[in-house]
Amino acid sequence: ETAEAFINVTCPSCGGAARRDSDTMDTFVDSSWYFLRYCDPQNDELPFSPQKAAAWMPVDQYIGGAEHAILHLLYSRFITKFLHREGLVPTAEPFKRLFTQGMVCMESPVTGKSEKMSKSKGNTVPVGEFVREWGSDTGRILILFAAPPERDFDWTTEGVFGANRFLNRIFSLIDEHADRLRTVPSPDALRYDALSGFDRALYRKAHQTIQKVTDALNRFHFNVVVASIMEYLNELVRFDPAAAHGDEPFAFAVDKLIRLLAPIAPHLAEELWHRVGHDSSVFSSGWPTFDPAATVADTVTVVAQVNSKNRGEVEVPTGAAQDTVAALAMQLENVQKHLEGKQLVKTIFIPNKLVNLVVK
């Protein structure tokens, strides 16, 4: 409508002044091929070059709400199929994978029910005000942790408080030890087999958490990501410099905590990364890797049964053989009581989990 030369024309029938109709295309037309323009956004001669489209397409992962499933996704597939038939894009399908996210809901003062956030329902949270009071990382943690991402969830004040407390716990822990952490030269030089006690347990917990968070991120289980980091934080707060815990294992664990936190609370992670002595960005540090050998606990708890009924538990070295576990189980008072006067017929053994003494 602002293009005067286009809008104001001469009527081809009567020769008088006329105006063109500016409503020529539905908005879904543009939203159905925008990803192709992203492949070649500076091109001023073509919508996109087929070479650029061939280099980038198809989209690896599409994430959207369920309300897009019919119109936007249907139209984008239709247009891509047409362009593919004309030899302009490499594939007939625009997206390799689709993930449909849930909706953020909140109690509506209009209806009194929890409904999808909408201005018409009066149940939205003004972003500017929220960020000024709580910081955007608080909102991110709440949204990620409240429910699996494919499900709807209710935005609540209690949830905001909880997310903010979690972030403050992380800040307090690292800020308290920031000075000593800046003096640790290279925590990545640690060797698992050279550690013992709390230091060994903390090192193992770091690798276990990296494994869990990496797997959960790959599967879009963002609530599991946050829960795993919360569990990891509980282990870190046990650090006591007065108890001769090593600075290197603690620095190693904090390093991994900040890097795991970065995708879900980027602003806090960047701040903490610099507080512990780094000049570059945490997002230039690379994603942490884990050593599978370091994720295995030194000992495991094995259930001791007699005739398939639980009679106790024994702590054994991980991977202990059947004979070793059975012998330890037979030393339990409650197991001995149920073995008296009985003949051992066979032993059922599930490594690292269960030993069942079958008697008659």
Side-chain angles (χ1 to χ4, degrees), residues 132-197:
R132 281 191 290 273
E133 182 175 0
W134 297 99
S136 61
D137 284 350
T138 297
R140 292 169 67 95
I141 292 296
L142 171 58
I143 290 172
L144 293 173
F145 183 60
E150 68 274 14
R151 284 172 43 191
D152 296 348
F153 84 92
D154 288 326
W155 180 286
T156 63
T157 303
E158 293 78 8
V160 173
F161 288 151
N164 195 250
R165 278 196 304 269
F166 166 60
L167 293 176
N168 280 323
R169 286 186 69 207
I170 295 177
F171 178 84
S172 298
L173 171 72
I174 297 178
D175 188 57
E176 177 185 355
H177 299 288
D179 290 339
R180 69 190 308 121
L181 288 167
R182 282 193 289 267
T183 65
V184 179
S186 179
D188 280 327
L190 286 174
R191 286 177 46 245
Y192 182 50
D193 54 7
L195 301 173
S196 61

Short mmCIF file of all heavy atoms in Angstrom, two decimals, residues 132-197:
data_model
loop_
_atom_site.label_atom_id
_atom_site.label_comp_id
_atom_site.label_asym_id
_atom_site.label_seq_id
_atom_site.Cartn_x
_atom_site.Cartn_y
_atom_site.Cartn_z
N ARG A 132 13.18 -7.46 33.50
CA ARG A 132 13.76 -6.45 34.40
C ARG A 132 13.75 -6.92 35.85
O ARG A 132 14.67 -6.63 36.61
CB ARG A 132 13.00 -5.13 34.26
CG ARG A 132 13.39 -4.33 33.02
CD ARG A 132 12.80 -2.93 33.05
NE ARG A 132 11.36 -2.93 32.88
CZ ARG A 132 10.75 -2.93 31.70
NH1 ARG A 132 11.47 -2.90 30.59
NH2 ARG A 132 9.43 -2.92 31.62
N GLU A 133 12.72 -7.66 36.24
CA GLU A 133 12.61 -8.08 37.64
C GLU A 133 13.36 -9.39 37.92
O GLU A 133 14.00 -9.53 38.95
CB GLU A 133 11.14 -8.26 38.03
CG GLU A 133 10.94 -8.65 39.48
CD GLU A 133 9.48 -8.70 39.88
OE1 GLU A 133 8.61 -8.43 39.02
OE2 GLU A 133 9.20 -9.00 41.05
N TRP A 134 13.27 -10.35 36.99
CA TRP A 134 13.77 -11.67 37.26
C TRP A 134 14.96 -12.08 36.39
O TRP A 134 15.68 -13.01 36.75
CB TRP A 134 12.66 -12.71 37.06
CG TRP A 134 11.52 -12.55 38.00
CD1 TRP A 134 10.32 -11.93 37.74
CD2 TRP A 134 11.46 -12.98 39.35
NE1 TRP A 134 9.51 -11.97 38.84
CE2 TRP A 134 10.19 -12.61 39.86
CE3 TRP A 134 12.34 -13.64 40.20
CZ2 TRP A 134 9.79 -12.88 41.15
CZ3 TRP A 134 11.95 -13.93 41.49
CH2 TRP A 134 10.69 -13.55 41.96
N GLY A 135 15.14 -11.45 35.26
CA GLY A 135 16.17 -11.89 34.31
C GLY A 135 15.60 -12.95 33.38
O GLY A 135 14.77 -13.78 33.78
N SER A 136 16.04 -12.93 32.14
CA SER A 136 15.47 -13.86 31.16
C SER A 136 15.82 -15.31 31.46
O SER A 136 15.07 -16.23 31.12
CB SER A 136 15.93 -13.50 29.75
OG SER A 136 17.34 -13.58 29.64
N ASP A 137 16.97 -15.56 32.13
CA ASP A 137 17.35 -16.94 32.44
C ASP A 137 16.34 -17.61 33.35
O ASP A 137 16.11 -18.81 33.26
CB ASP A 137 18.74 -16.98 33.08
CG ASP A 137 19.86 -16.76 32.07
OD1 ASP A 137 19.57 -16.78 30.86
OD2 ASP A 137 21.02 -16.59 32.48
N THR A 138 15.73 -16.84 34.25
CA THR A 138 14.70 -17.41 35.13
C THR A 138 13.54 -17.93 34.31
O THR A 138 13.03 -19.03 34.56
CB THR A 138 14.21 -16.35 36.14
OG1 THR A 138 15.30 -15.96 36.98
CG2 THR A 138 13.08 -16.89 36.99
N GLY A 139 13.10 -17.15 33.33
CA GLY A 139 12.01 -17.60 32.47
C GLY A 139 12.38 -18.82 31.67
O GLY A 139 11.57 -19.74 31.49
N ARG A 140 13.62 -18.86 31.19
CA ARG A 140 14.07 -20.02 30.41
C ARG A 140 14.04 -21.29 31.26
O ARG A 140 13.55 -22.34 30.83
CB ARG A 140 15.48 -19.77 29.87
CG ARG A 140 15.57 -18.68 28.82
CD ARG A 140 17.01 -18.32 28.54
NE ARG A 140 17.73 -19.42 27.89
CZ ARG A 140 17.88 -19.54 26.58
NH1 ARG A 140 17.35 -18.63 25.76
NH2 ARG A 140 18.55 -20.55 26.07
N ILE A 141 14.58 -21.20 32.48
CA ILE A 141 14.62 -22.37 33.36
C ILE A 141 13.21 -22.84 33.69
O ILE A 141 12.91 -24.05 33.68
CB ILE A 141 15.40 -22.05 34.65
CG1 ILE A 141 16.88 -21.82 34.34
CG2 ILE A 141 15.24 -23.18 35.67
CD1 ILE A 141 17.61 -23.03 33.80
N LEU A 142 12.32 -21.90 33.98
CA LEU A 142 10.93 -22.28 34.29
C LEU A 142 10.29 -23.03 33.14
O LEU A 142 9.68 -24.09 33.32
CB LEU A 142 10.12 -21.02 34.63
CG LEU A 142 8.61 -21.21 34.77
CD1 LEU A 142 8.28 -22.24 35.84
CD2 LEU A 142 7.93 -19.89 35.08
N ILE A 143 10.43 -22.49 31.94
CA ILE A 143 9.79 -23.11 30.77
C ILE A 143 10.38 -24.49 30.49
O ILE A 143 9.66 -25.43 30.17
CB ILE A 143 9.93 -22.19 29.54
CG1 ILE A 143 9.06 -20.95 29.72
CG2 ILE A 143 9.55 -22.91 28.26
CD1 ILE A 143 9.27 -19.88 28.67
N LEU A 144 11.70 -24.61 30.64
CA LEU A 144 12.35 -25.88 30.32
C LEU A 144 12.08 -26.95 31.37
O LEU A 144 11.99 -28.14 31.04
CB LEU A 144 13.86 -25.67 30.20
CG LEU A 144 14.33 -24.81 29.02
CD1 LEU A 144 15.82 -24.54 29.12
CD2 LEU A 144 14.01 -25.49 27.70
N PHE A 145 11.95 -26.55 32.63
CA PHE A 145 11.85 -27.52 33.71
C PHE A 145 10.42 -27.89 34.06
O PHE A 145 10.17 -28.98 34.59
CB PHE A 145 12.54 -26.97 34.97
CG PHE A 145 12.56 -27.92 36.13
CD1 PHE A 145 13.18 -29.16 36.03
CD2 PHE A 145 11.95 -27.59 37.33
CE1 PHE A 145 13.20 -30.05 37.10
CE2 PHE A 145 11.96 -28.47 38.41
CZ PHE A 145 12.59 -29.71 38.28
N ALA A 146 9.46 -27.02 33.74
CA ALA A 146 8.09 -27.22 34.22
C ALA A 146 7.45 -28.50 33.71
O ALA A 146 6.62 -29.10 34.40
CB ALA A 146 7.24 -26.02 33.83
N ALA A 147 7.82 -28.93 32.49
CA ALA A 147 7.19 -30.13 31.91
C ALA A 147 8.01 -30.56 30.71
O ALA A 147 8.81 -29.78 30.19
CB ALA A 147 5.76 -29.83 31.49
N PRO A 148 7.84 -31.81 30.26
CA PRO A 148 8.47 -32.20 28.99
C PRO A 148 8.04 -31.23 27.89
O PRO A 148 6.88 -30.77 27.89
CB PRO A 148 7.92 -33.61 28.74
CG PRO A 148 7.59 -34.13 30.11
CD PRO A 148 7.11 -32.92 30.88
N PRO A 149 8.90 -30.88 26.96
CA PRO A 149 8.61 -29.81 26.00
C PRO A 149 7.44 -30.10 25.07
O PRO A 149 6.88 -29.18 24.48
CB PRO A 149 9.91 -29.66 25.22
CG PRO A 149 10.63 -30.96 25.40
CD PRO A 149 10.26 -31.43 26.77
N GLU A 150 7.04 -31.36 24.93
CA GLU A 150 5.92 -31.66 24.05
C GLU A 150 4.57 -31.48 24.76
O GLU A 150 3.53 -31.57 24.13
CB GLU A 150 6.02 -33.09 23.52
CG GLU A 150 5.85 -34.19 24.55
CD GLU A 150 7.14 -34.56 25.26
OE1 GLU A 150 8.12 -33.79 25.14
OE2 GLU A 150 7.17 -35.62 25.94
N ARG A 151 4.61 -31.18 26.06
CA ARG A 151 3.36 -31.03 26.82
C ARG A 151 3.11 -29.57 27.18
O ARG A 151 4.02 -28.77 27.35
CB ARG A 151 3.44 -31.86 28.11
CG ARG A 151 3.25 -33.35 27.88
CD ARG A 151 3.53 -34.14 29.14
NE ARG A 151 2.96 -33.53 30.33
CZ ARG A 151 3.25 -33.91 31.57
NH1 ARG A 151 4.12 -34.90 31.76
NH2 ARG A 151 2.71 -33.32 32.61
N ASP A 152 1.82 -29.21 27.35
CA ASP A 152 1.47 -27.89 27.86
C ASP A 152 1.88 -27.80 29.33
O ASP A 152 2.00 -28.82 30.02
CB ASP A 152 -0.04 -27.66 27.75
CG ASP A 152 -0.53 -27.64 26.31
OD1 ASP A 152 0.32 -27.57 25.41
OD2 ASP A 152 -1.75 -27.70 26.11
N PHE A 153 2.10 -26.58 29.82
CA PHE A 153 2.37 -26.42 31.25
C PHE A 153 1.82 -25.08 31.73
O PHE A 153 1.62 -24.16 30.94
CB PHE A 153 3.86 -26.55 31.55
CG PHE A 153 4.65 -25.28 31.36
CD1 PHE A 153 4.85 -24.40 32.42
CD2 PHE A 153 5.18 -24.96 30.13
CE1 PHE A 153 5.56 -23.23 32.25
CE2 PHE A 153 5.92 -23.80 29.94
CZ PHE A 153 6.10 -22.92 31.01
N ASP A 154 1.57 -25.00 33.03
CA ASP A 154 1.03 -23.79 33.64
C ASP A 154 2.15 -22.91 34.17
O ASP A 154 3.01 -23.38 34.94
CB ASP A 154 0.08 -24.14 34.79
CG ASP A 154 -1.23 -24.72 34.29
OD1 ASP A 154 -1.67 -24.31 33.20
OD2 ASP A 154 -1.80 -25.60 34.99
N TRP A 155 2.16 -21.66 33.78
CA TRP A 155 3.09 -20.66 34.30
C TRP A 155 2.56 -20.21 35.66
O TRP A 155 1.42 -19.74 35.76
CB TRP A 155 3.16 -19.50 33.33
CG TRP A 155 4.08 -18.39 33.75
CD1 TRP A 155 3.86 -17.47 34.73
CD2 TRP A 155 5.36 -18.08 33.19
NE1 TRP A 155 4.92 -16.61 34.83
CE2 TRP A 155 5.86 -16.95 33.90
CE3 TRP A 155 6.13 -18.63 32.18
CZ2 TRP A 155 7.09 -16.37 33.60
CZ3 TRP A 155 7.36 -18.06 31.88
CH2 TRP A 155 7.83 -16.96 32.60
N THR A 156 3.36 -20.37 36.71
CA THR A 156 2.92 -19.99 38.05
C THR A 156 3.98 -19.15 38.75
O THR A 156 5.17 -19.22 38.42
CB THR A 156 2.64 -21.23 38.92
OG1 THR A 156 3.88 -21.96 39.10
CG2 THR A 156 1.61 -22.16 38.27
N THR A 157 3.54 -18.38 39.72
CA THR A 157 4.48 -17.58 40.53
C THR A 157 5.43 -18.49 41.29
O THR A 157 6.63 -18.19 41.42
CB THR A 157 3.69 -16.70 41.52
OG1 THR A 157 2.79 -15.86 40.78
CG2 THR A 157 4.63 -15.83 42.33
N GLU A 158 4.91 -19.61 41.80
CA GLU A 158 5.76 -20.56 42.53
C GLU A 158 6.88 -21.09 41.63
O GLU A 158 8.02 -21.27 42.06
CB GLU A 158 4.93 -21.73 43.06
CG GLU A 158 3.93 -21.36 44.16
CD GLU A 158 2.68 -20.68 43.59
OE1 GLU A 158 2.51 -20.64 42.36
OE2 GLU A 158 1.87 -20.20 44.41
N GLY A 159 6.53 -21.35 40.37
CA GLY A 159 7.54 -21.82 39.44
C GLY A 159 8.63 -20.79 39.19
O GLY A 159 9.81 -21.13 39.07
N VAL A 160 8.23 -19.52 39.10
CA VAL A 160 9.21 -18.44 38.91
C VAL A 160 10.16 -18.38 40.10
O VAL A 160 11.39 -18.30 39.94
CB VAL A 160 8.49 -17.10 38.72
CG1 VAL A 160 9.50 -15.95 38.70
CG2 VAL A 160 7.67 -17.10 37.44
N PHE A 161 9.60 -18.44 41.32
CA PHE A 161 10.43 -18.42 42.52
C PHE A 161 11.42 -19.59 42.53
O PHE A 161 12.60 -19.42 42.86
CB PHE A 161 9.56 -18.47 43.78
CG PHE A 161 8.81 -17.21 44.06
CD1 PHE A 161 7.59 -17.24 44.73
CD2 PHE A 161 9.30 -15.98 43.66
CE1 PHE A 161 6.89 -16.07 44.99
CE2 PHE A 161 8.61 -14.80 43.91
CZ PHE A 161 7.40 -14.85 44.58
N GLY A 162 10.92 -20.78 42.19
CA GLY A 162 11.78 -21.96 42.21
C GLY A 162 12.93 -21.88 41.22
O GLY A 162 14.07 -22.21 41.54
N ALA A 163 12.63 -21.43 40.00
CA ALA A 163 13.67 -21.29 38.99
C ALA A 163 14.71 -20.26 39.41
O ALA A 163 15.92 -20.46 39.23
CB ALA A 163 13.04 -20.89 37.65
N ASN A 164 14.26 -19.15 40.00
CA ASN A 164 15.18 -18.11 40.44
C ASN A 164 16.05 -18.59 41.60
O ASN A 164 17.25 -18.27 41.65
CB ASN A 164 14.39 -16.87 40.83
CG ASN A 164 15.26 -15.65 40.95
OD1 ASN A 164 15.49 -15.16 42.05
ND2 ASN A 164 15.75 -15.14 39.83
N ARG A 165 15.49 -19.36 42.52
CA ARG A 165 16.27 -19.91 43.63
C ARG A 165 17.38 -20.81 43.13
O ARG A 165 18.51 -20.79 43.62
CB ARG A 165 15.36 -20.68 44.60
CG ARG A 165 14.63 -19.82 45.60
CD ARG A 165 14.08 -20.66 46.75
NE ARG A 165 13.21 -21.72 46.27
CZ ARG A 165 11.90 -21.59 46.12
NH1 ARG A 165 11.32 -20.43 46.38
NH2 ARG A 165 11.16 -22.60 45.70
N PHE A 166 17.05 -21.64 42.15
CA PHE A 166 18.04 -22.56 41.58
C PHE A 166 19.22 -21.78 40.99
O PHE A 166 20.39 -22.10 41.25
CB PHE A 166 17.36 -23.41 40.51
CG PHE A 166 18.29 -24.16 39.61
CD1 PHE A 166 19.19 -25.08 40.11
CD2 PHE A 166 18.26 -23.94 38.24
CE1 PHE A 166 20.06 -25.77 39.28
CE2 PHE A 166 19.11 -24.62 37.39
CZ PHE A 166 20.02 -25.53 37.91
N LEU A 167 18.93 -20.75 40.22
CA LEU A 167 20.01 -19.96 39.62
C LEU A 167 20.82 -19.22 40.68
O LEU A 167 22.04 -19.11 40.57
CB LEU A 167 19.42 -18.97 38.61
CG LEU A 167 18.77 -19.59 37.37
CD1 LEU A 167 18.14 -18.51 36.50
CD2 LEU A 167 19.79 -20.38 36.57
N ASN A 168 20.14 -18.74 41.72
CA ASN A 168 20.87 -18.05 42.80
C ASN A 168 21.77 -19.00 43.57
O ASN A 168 22.84 -18.60 44.05
CB ASN A 168 19.88 -17.37 43.75
CG ASN A 168 19.39 -16.04 43.21
OD1 ASN A 168 20.15 -15.31 42.57
ND2 ASN A 168 18.12 -15.72 43.43
N ARG A 169 21.35 -20.25 43.72
CA ARG A 169 22.21 -21.25 44.38
C ARG A 169 23.49 -21.46 43.59
O ARG A 169 24.58 -21.57 44.17
CB ARG A 169 21.47 -22.58 44.54
CG ARG A 169 20.39 -22.60 45.60
CD ARG A 169 19.85 -24.01 45.74
NE ARG A 169 20.83 -24.91 46.32
CZ ARG A 169 20.86 -26.23 46.11
NH1 ARG A 169 20.00 -26.79 45.27
NH2 ARG A 169 21.77 -26.97 46.69
N ILE A 170 23.36 -21.55 42.28
CA ILE A 170 24.55 -21.73 41.45
C ILE A 170 25.46 -20.51 41.57
O ILE A 170 26.68 -20.64 41.75
CB ILE A 170 24.15 -21.94 39.98
CG1 ILE A 170 23.39 -23.25 39.82
CG2 ILE A 170 25.38 -21.94 39.08
CD1 ILE A 170 22.90 -23.52 38.41
N PHE A 171 24.87 -19.31 41.48
CA PHE A 171 25.68 -18.10 41.57
C PHE A 171 26.40 -18.03 42.91
O PHE A 171 27.60 -17.72 42.98
CB PHE A 171 24.80 -16.86 41.37
CG PHE A 171 25.56 -15.58 41.51
CD1 PHE A 171 26.26 -15.05 40.43
CD2 PHE A 171 25.61 -14.90 42.72
CE1 PHE A 171 26.99 -13.88 40.55
CE2 PHE A 171 26.33 -13.73 42.86
CZ PHE A 171 27.02 -13.21 41.78
N SER A 172 25.68 -18.30 44.00
CA SER A 172 26.27 -18.19 45.33
C SER A 172 27.43 -19.16 45.51
O SER A 172 28.47 -18.80 46.07
CB SER A 172 25.20 -18.45 46.40
OG SER A 172 24.18 -17.48 46.33
N LEU A 173 27.24 -20.39 45.04
CA LEU A 173 28.29 -21.40 45.18
C LEU A 173 29.56 -20.96 44.46
O LEU A 173 30.66 -20.99 45.03
CB LEU A 173 27.81 -22.73 44.61
CG LEU A 173 28.89 -23.82 44.49
CD1 LEU A 173 29.27 -24.33 45.86
CD2 LEU A 173 28.43 -24.96 43.60
N ILE A 174 29.44 -20.56 43.21
CA ILE A 174 30.62 -20.24 42.42
C ILE A 174 31.22 -18.90 42.85
O ILE A 174 32.45 -18.75 42.91
CB ILE A 174 30.28 -20.24 40.92
CG1 ILE A 174 29.83 -21.65 40.51
CG2 ILE A 174 31.45 -19.78 40.07
CD1 ILE A 174 29.40 -21.79 39.08
N ASP A 175 30.37 -17.95 43.18
CA ASP A 175 30.89 -16.66 43.63
C ASP A 175 31.68 -16.80 44.93
O ASP A 175 32.70 -16.13 45.12
CB ASP A 175 29.73 -15.68 43.81
CG ASP A 175 30.19 -14.27 44.08
OD1 ASP A 175 30.94 -13.72 43.24
OD2 ASP A 175 29.80 -13.70 45.12
N GLU A 176 31.23 -17.68 45.80
CA GLU A 176 31.91 -17.89 47.08
C GLU A 176 33.33 -18.41 46.89
O GLU A 176 34.25 -18.06 47.64
CB GLU A 176 31.11 -18.89 47.93
CG GLU A 176 31.76 -19.24 49.26
CD GLU A 176 31.01 -20.32 50.01
OE1 GLU A 176 29.92 -20.73 49.54
OE2 GLU A 176 31.52 -20.77 51.06
N HIS A 177 33.52 -19.24 45.87
CA HIS A 177 34.83 -19.87 45.65
C HIS A 177 35.56 -19.31 44.43
O HIS A 177 36.56 -19.89 43.99
CB HIS A 177 34.65 -21.38 45.47
CG HIS A 177 34.04 -22.07 46.67
ND1 HIS A 177 34.73 -22.26 47.85
CD2 HIS A 177 32.80 -22.59 46.87
CE1 HIS A 177 33.95 -22.88 48.72
NE2 HIS A 177 32.78 -23.09 48.14
N ALA A 178 35.09 -18.19 43.89
CA ALA A 178 35.65 -17.67 42.65
C ALA A 178 37.15 -17.39 42.75
O ALA A 178 37.91 -17.69 41.82
CB ALA A 178 34.91 -16.40 42.22
N ASP A 179 37.58 -16.84 43.87
CA ASP A 179 39.00 -16.48 44.01
C ASP A 179 39.89 -17.72 43.92
O ASP A 179 40.91 -17.72 43.24
CB ASP A 179 39.24 -15.76 45.33
CG ASP A 179 38.63 -14.37 45.34
OD1 ASP A 179 38.39 -13.83 44.24
OD2 ASP A 179 38.39 -13.83 46.44
N ARG A 180 39.53 -18.78 44.63
CA ARG A 180 40.35 -19.99 44.61
C ARG A 180 40.25 -20.69 43.26
O ARG A 180 41.21 -21.30 42.79
CB ARG A 180 39.98 -20.93 45.76
CG ARG A 180 38.61 -21.57 45.61
CD ARG A 180 38.16 -22.30 46.88
NE ARG A 180 39.14 -23.24 47.38
CZ ARG A 180 39.65 -23.16 48.61
NH1 ARG A 180 39.29 -22.17 49.41
NH2 ARG A 180 40.53 -24.05 49.02
N LEU A 181 39.09 -20.59 42.61
CA LEU A 181 38.93 -21.24 41.32
C LEU A 181 39.80 -20.59 40.25
O LEU A 181 40.30 -21.26 39.34
CB LEU A 181 37.46 -21.18 40.87
CG LEU A 181 36.49 -22.08 41.64
CD1 LEU A 181 35.05 -21.71 41.34
CD2 LEU A 181 36.74 -23.54 41.31
N ARG A 182 40.02 -19.28 40.37
CA ARG A 182 40.86 -18.58 39.38
C ARG A 182 42.31 -18.98 39.45
O ARG A 182 43.06 -18.78 38.50
CB ARG A 182 40.73 -17.06 39.58
CG ARG A 182 39.46 -16.46 39.02
CD ARG A 182 39.53 -14.96 38.96
NE ARG A 182 39.48 -14.37 40.29
CZ ARG A 182 38.34 -13.98 40.88
NH1 ARG A 182 37.20 -14.10 40.23
NH2 ARG A 182 38.36 -13.46 42.08
N THR A 183 42.72 -19.60 40.56
CA THR A 183 44.13 -19.97 40.73
C THR A 183 44.44 -21.38 40.27
O THR A 183 45.61 -21.77 40.22
CB THR A 183 44.54 -19.84 42.21
OG1 THR A 183 43.80 -20.80 42.99
CG2 THR A 183 44.25 -18.44 42.73
N VAL A 184 43.42 -22.17 39.93
CA VAL A 184 43.65 -23.55 39.49
C VAL A 184 44.10 -23.53 38.03
O VAL A 184 43.38 -23.03 37.16
CB VAL A 184 42.37 -24.40 39.64
CG1 VAL A 184 42.63 -25.83 39.15
CG2 VAL A 184 41.92 -24.41 41.10
N PRO A 185 45.30 -24.07 37.74
CA PRO A 185 45.85 -23.92 36.38
C PRO A 185 45.09 -24.67 35.29
O PRO A 185 44.63 -24.08 34.33
CB PRO A 185 47.28 -24.45 36.53
CG PRO A 185 47.23 -25.36 37.73
CD PRO A 185 46.19 -24.78 38.65
N SER A 186 44.95 -25.98 35.44
CA SER A 186 44.33 -26.77 34.37
C SER A 186 43.57 -27.95 34.96
O SER A 186 44.13 -29.05 35.09
CB SER A 186 45.39 -27.27 33.38
OG SER A 186 44.79 -28.05 32.37
N PRO A 187 42.31 -27.74 35.33
CA PRO A 187 41.56 -28.84 35.95
C PRO A 187 41.37 -30.03 35.03
O PRO A 187 41.14 -31.15 35.49
CB PRO A 187 40.22 -28.20 36.32
CG PRO A 187 40.10 -27.02 35.41
CD PRO A 187 41.49 -26.54 35.20
N ASP A 188 41.46 -29.84 33.71
CA ASP A 188 41.26 -30.95 32.78
C ASP A 188 42.41 -31.94 32.77
O ASP A 188 42.35 -32.96 32.10
CB ASP A 188 41.03 -30.42 31.36
CG ASP A 188 39.59 -29.94 31.16
OD1 ASP A 188 38.69 -30.55 31.77
OD2 ASP A 188 39.39 -28.97 30.42
N ALA A 189 43.50 -31.63 33.52
CA ALA A 189 44.65 -32.55 33.58
C ALA A 189 44.43 -33.66 34.61
O ALA A 189 45.29 -34.53 34.78
CB ALA A 189 45.92 -31.77 33.91
N LEU A 190 43.28 -33.65 35.29
CA LEU A 190 43.00 -34.66 36.32
C LEU A 190 42.93 -36.07 35.73
O LEU A 190 42.49 -36.25 34.60
CB LEU A 190 41.68 -34.35 37.02
CG LEU A 190 41.65 -33.19 38.01
CD1 LEU A 190 40.23 -32.96 38.47
CD2 LEU A 190 42.56 -33.46 39.19
N ARG A 191 43.32 -37.06 36.55
CA ARG A 191 43.17 -38.47 36.17
C ARG A 191 42.30 -39.15 37.21
O ARG A 191 42.54 -39.05 38.40
CB ARG A 191 44.55 -39.14 36.09
CG ARG A 191 45.35 -38.73 34.86
CD ARG A 191 46.74 -39.34 34.82
NE ARG A 191 46.76 -40.77 35.13
CZ ARG A 191 47.36 -41.28 36.22
NH1 ARG A 191 47.95 -40.49 37.09
NH2 ARG A 191 47.35 -42.58 36.41
N TYR A 192 41.29 -39.85 36.72
CA TYR A 192 40.31 -40.49 37.59
C TYR A 192 40.95 -41.47 38.56
O TYR A 192 40.64 -41.48 39.75
CB TYR A 192 39.27 -41.20 36.71
CG TYR A 192 38.15 -41.87 37.46
CD1 TYR A 192 37.43 -41.19 38.43
CD2 TYR A 192 37.78 -43.19 37.17
CE1 TYR A 192 36.38 -41.79 39.11
CE2 TYR A 192 36.72 -43.80 37.83
CZ TYR A 192 36.04 -43.10 38.80
OH TYR A 192 34.99 -43.69 39.47
N ASP A 193 41.88 -42.29 38.05
CA ASP A 193 42.47 -43.32 38.91
C ASP A 193 43.42 -42.74 39.96
O ASP A 193 43.87 -43.47 40.85
CB ASP A 193 43.21 -44.37 38.06
CG ASP A 193 44.24 -43.75 37.13
OD1 ASP A 193 44.48 -42.54 37.23
OD2 ASP A 193 44.80 -44.50 36.30
N ALA A 194 43.72 -41.45 39.88
CA ALA A 194 44.60 -40.83 40.87
C ALA A 194 43.81 -40.17 41.99
O ALA A 194 44.40 -39.64 42.93
CB ALA A 194 45.51 -39.79 40.19
N LEU A 195 42.48 -40.19 41.89
CA LEU A 195 41.63 -39.53 42.89
C LEU A 195 41.04 -40.54 43.86
O LEU A 195 40.98 -41.74 43.58
CB LEU A 195 40.50 -38.78 42.18
CG LEU A 195 40.90 -37.70 41.18
CD1 LEU A 195 39.66 -37.18 40.46
CD2 LEU A 195 41.63 -36.57 41.87
N SER A 196 40.60 -40.04 45.00
CA SER A 196 39.97 -40.90 46.00
C SER A 196 38.95 -40.10 46.79
O SER A 196 38.91 -38.86 46.70
CB SER A 196 41.02 -41.48 46.95
OG SER A 196 41.69 -40.43 47.65
N GLY A 197 38.10 -40.80 47.53
CA GLY A 197 37.15 -40.16 48.41
C GLY A 197 36.19 -39.22 47.70
O GLY A 197 35.68 -39.51 46.62
#
